[in-house]
Amino acid sequence: MLIGREKQQEALLELLERDESQFCAIYGRRRVGKTYLVKQTFGDKFAFVHTGLANATRIEQLWEFRESLRSAGVKKCKLPKTWFEAFHMLQDHLASLPDGKKIVFIDELPWLDTPKSRFLPAFEHFWNGWANLRDDIVLIVCGSATSWIIGNIVHNKGGLHNRLTRQIHLRPFSLKECALYAQKRSLEMTHRDILETYMVLGGVPYYWSLLRPEWSWAQNIDNLFFDETAELRDEFKALYASLFRAPQPYIDIITALGTKKVGMTFDELDKTLTINLGGKLTDKLEELEQCNFIRSYTALGKVKKDTRYQLIDNFTLFHFKFIVEANKGTRTRWMTLIGTQKYRAWSGLAFERVCMLHENQILKALGISGMECGIYSWTYRPQDEKGTGTQIDLLIDRSDNVINLCEMKFYSDPYAMTKADDEAVRDKKTIFQNVTQTRKAIRIVMVTSYGLVRNAYAKGIPNQLTMDDLFD
């Protein structure tokens, strides 16, 4: 049951149509469905399939590689002593097969690169010295250790530099894809249920596969995080450990960013961290962004050095807000937290992050999806105590001389704007105009769960979107 992924599946199938050998790398966070995508696309049409072993020695990896060769049909197969010998055995097997495309799929490739194993030089030689010289090899590799894939395959500066013919960054599901998944699994979830579940789990397909149809969304969250045997209670550590071989620096970066709603600049983050990353902070930020944990943005009117990095991963936000305390022994249940002040603070922030992850849907709902737009956040801090600061979490700078200031409100009913709300929106608009000196028209956009109550204050909001628009 493959939900979404049409473009990625089309890209994989195109590899079979090329006249020369193809080398494709698929990367993305743990549990996002990389292996499932490949196997659902090609079925059993593989000439060779192998999966690396986690935390195994070089000898154990080579032993399993031999077993994969046997499974592929190699009858006489000795245990290779080196990776060079192992790949020569693979070459001999592939060369013996009938004419036609030969799909080679190596899953969890980073795990094969054990210390002092010389795996990478042997792998480079396999591609450069043999497979790339033919016209019938389709080599597909993937792995959850995104930092290794990016550093050693995508951005390789050695023998594999610019050798990839295709790379696929597999991202989590959108709300629409989660709705389709829920329907396929007969989960009987409303858009509100799906949205609130997304605010906790994000769009990671495996997490959604754990939901039980006989339970409400709140019961499912209790089961996954707060029960004594909750399957995802310790997922945070496993997640970062699977993506990064030395995960602590990445966790330190995420933890620091988690304290600032609007994010931090490179310099602010560098000063905050208590560890010395040896000039590798830029690389680690890029890897975290490739895994969809953070986003980078430059505020309107700012330059590149003012780029801010912001935590946007809902699963991580939920972990910091609730699971850290639960893991310290604080006994609680999700169903008792719903409606509390702590829940309301978290849900407002989580809803904002969901909106940021669905910027394309917001552009479409505004009727400007084909227009050139800049997506920003904007913060103003006055230079003296008498001034008034403000923050705009989502700002759309349009090429038709309009700027949309988006306000996002998560509420259980249609949102009734008050006089205070109206004044706050007007003040925000005025501060933005005065500070930026923009000549563009400023229009407020309200994105809410169920829309606005039709009252006098709502009349001043020209664009009103609901959570349903995020599902488009």
Side-chain angles (χ1 to χ4, degrees):
M1 181 179 65
L2 189 62
I3 301 295
R5 312 304 197 200
E6 291 89 357
K7 291 183 179 179
Q8 294 84 356
Q9 198 167 34
E10 182 180 339
L12 287 175
L13 292 173
E14 284 179 357
L15 299 175
L16 301 177
E17 301 173 3
R18 301 296 178 88
D19 293 332
E20 56 279 328
S21 289
Q22 299 292 300
F23 181 13
C24 175
I26 305 173
Y27 57 95
R29 66 187 290 165
R30 165 182 161 100
R31 312 290 203 182
V32 81
K34 300 179 294 295
T35 304
Y36 190 74
L37 168 66
V38 176
K39 292 187 174 180
Q40 287 293 306
T41 300
F42 296 113
D44 58 355
K45 298 177 182 178
F46 297 102
F48 177 76
V49 178
H50 178 68
T51 301
L53 297 172
N55 304 314
T57 65
R58 179 182 64 87
I59 296 300
E60 291 169 332
Q61 300 284 7
L62 287 169
W63 183 284
E64 285 302 314
F65 195 86
R66 180 184 66 172
E67 295 307 304
S68 294
L69 284 169
R70 285 177 172 171
S71 297
V74 180
K75 295 180 180 180
K76 295 182 179 180
C77 194
K78 65 178 182 179
L79 179 65
K81 295 180 180 179
T82 67
W83 278 112
F84 284 95
E85 185 178 2
F87 279 110
H88 278 296
M89 294 166 66
L90 175 58
Q91 290 172 199
D92 291 341
H93 166 62
L94 296 174
S96 70
L97 298 177
D99 291 343
K101 294 293 185 181
K102 301 165 183 63
I103 305 173
V104 177
F105 177 40
I106 304 180
D107 198 5
E108 298 298 355
L109 184 77
W111 289 346
L112 301 177
D113 187 27
T114 56
K116 299 180 180 180
S117 66
R118 300 281 294 164
F119 168 79
L120 198 56
F123 180 71
E124 291 175 354
H125 184 67
F126 166 72
W127 176 254
N128 292 331
W130 187 80
N132 190 43
L133 303 178
R134 299 171 63 94
D135 60 7
D136 60 348
I137 303 299
V138 175
L139 174 60
I140 302 171
V141 301
C142 71
S144 295
T146 303
S147 61
W148 191 98
I149 292 285
I150 293 173
N152 292 283
I153 303 296
V154 177
H155 293 165
N156 186 286
K157 294 180 174 61
L160 292 178
H161 180 64
N162 285 336
R163 296 297 188 180
L164 279 179
T165 57
R166 174 80 67 173
Q167 55 178 292
I168 296 174
H169 180 188
L170 199 63
R171 302 175 186 274
F173 279 165
S174 65
L175 280 170
K176 179 179 181 180
E177 289 167 330
C178 287
L180 290 171
Y181 186 84
Q183 183 179 11
K184 288 287 186 180
R185 295 213 36 236
S186 301
L187 294 178
E188 300 295 337
M189 300 175 76
T190 65
H191 274 190
R192 172 65 181 245
D193 295 334
I194 293 169
L195 173 61
E196 291 196 88
T197 305
Y198 198 97
M199 285 159 57
V200 176
L201 302 180
V204 180
Y206 175 76
Y207 300 163
W208 283 76
S209 74
L210 302 176
L211 301 177
R212 295 174 58 170
E214 68 270 23
W215 288 348
S216 70
W217 79 273
Q219 287 176 301
N220 271 303
I221 300 305
D222 264 330
N223 176 59
L224 293 178
F225 291 98
F226 295 95
D227 287 348
E228 291 184 2
T229 59
E231 186 162 351
L232 296 182
R233 189 159 181 161
D234 296 321
E235 174 67 9
F236 179 83
K237 291 182 180 179
L239 172 61
Y240 284 84
S242 70
L243 290 166
F244 312 109
R245 288 192 169 181
Q248 193 56 51
Y250 299 90
I251 294 175
D252 291 341
I253 293 170
I254 287 292
T255 303
L257 292 178
T259 64
K260 300 290 184 180
K261 179 182 177 182
V262 298
M264 304 171 74
T265 65
F266 182 94
D267 289 339
E268 290 171 343
L269 185 57
D270 195 32
K271 292 177 182 177
T272 301
L273 295 172
T274 58
I275 57 173
N276 183 5
L277 295 178
K280 297 293 185 180
L281 178 56
T282 299
D283 293 339
K284 287 176 169 49
L285 287 169
E286 180 183 353
E287 291 162 9
L288 285 167
E289 191 163 10
Q290 292 282 8
C291 293
N292 307 115
F293 291 118
I294 67 174
R295 71 161 183 156
S296 60
Y297 68 92
T298 304
L300 186 67
K302 298 293 184 178
V303 295
K304 187 175 181 180
K305 70 181 183 67
D306 298 312
T307 295
R308 304 189 77 86
Y309 299 89
Q310 184 181 45
L311 176 61
I312 58 169
D313 179 55
N314 287 94
F315 180 87
T316 301
L317 285 167
F318 183 79
H319 171 84
F320 284 150
K321 193 69 176 180
F322 297 104
I323 307 307
V324 169
E325 289 188 10
N327 286 339
K328 290 179 180 179
T330 304
R331 293 187 177 182
T332 188
R333 300 287 293 176
W334 182 242
M335 285 185 284
T336 63
L337 288 168
I338 294 175
T340 64
Q341 179 57 38
K342 186 174 184 178
Y343 168 86
R344 286 192 291 270
W346 162 81
S347 62
L349 178 60
F351 181 62
E352 290 174 4
R353 295 302 189 261
V354 173
C355 291
M356 291 175 186
L357 291 169
H358 290 76
E359 292 170 351
N360 291 335
Q361 286 79 2
I362 291 176
L363 296 180
K364 184 176 180 180
L366 292 174
I368 57 173
S369 56
M371 186 182 298
E372 182 179 347
C373 297
I375 308 295
Y376 306 97
S377 291
W378 189 79
T379 302
Y380 172 66
R381 297 184 180 90
Q383 296 180 351
D384 56 70
E385 296 181 356
K386 296 180 181 180
T388 302
T390 193
Q391 176 181 318
I392 301 167
D393 294 306
L394 186 60
L395 179 154
I396 304 171
D397 185 17
R398 299 159 44 166
S399 60
D400 62 349
N401 289 320
V402 173
I403 294 178
N404 290 123
L405 306 186
C406 300
E407 287 285 295
M408 293 156 280
K409 299 290 185 181
F410 182 77
Y411 208 65
S412 57
D413 297 298
Y415 188 76
M417 287 191 66
T418 63
K419 180 180 180 181
D421 290 329
D422 181 61
E423 291 175 350
V425 169
R426 291 176 182 274
D427 287 345
K428 186 171 294 191
K429 179 179 177 179
T430 300
I431 292 171
F432 178 78
Q433 286 177 315
N434 291 339
V435 173
T436 64
Q437 293 294 299
T438 181
R439 295 182 179 180
K440 292 188 175 184
I442 308 298
R443 294 180 181 173
I444 303 297
V445 177
M446 291 292 294
V447 187
T448 62
S449 307
Y450 294 105
L452 297 178
V453 173
R454 294 184 178 181
N455 60 22
Y457 302 111
K459 293 179 180 179
I461 306 299
N463 298 107
Q464 302 177 21
L465 309 184
T466 71
M467 63 178 173
D468 290 340
D469 292 305
L470 303 179
F471 283 79
D472 199 346

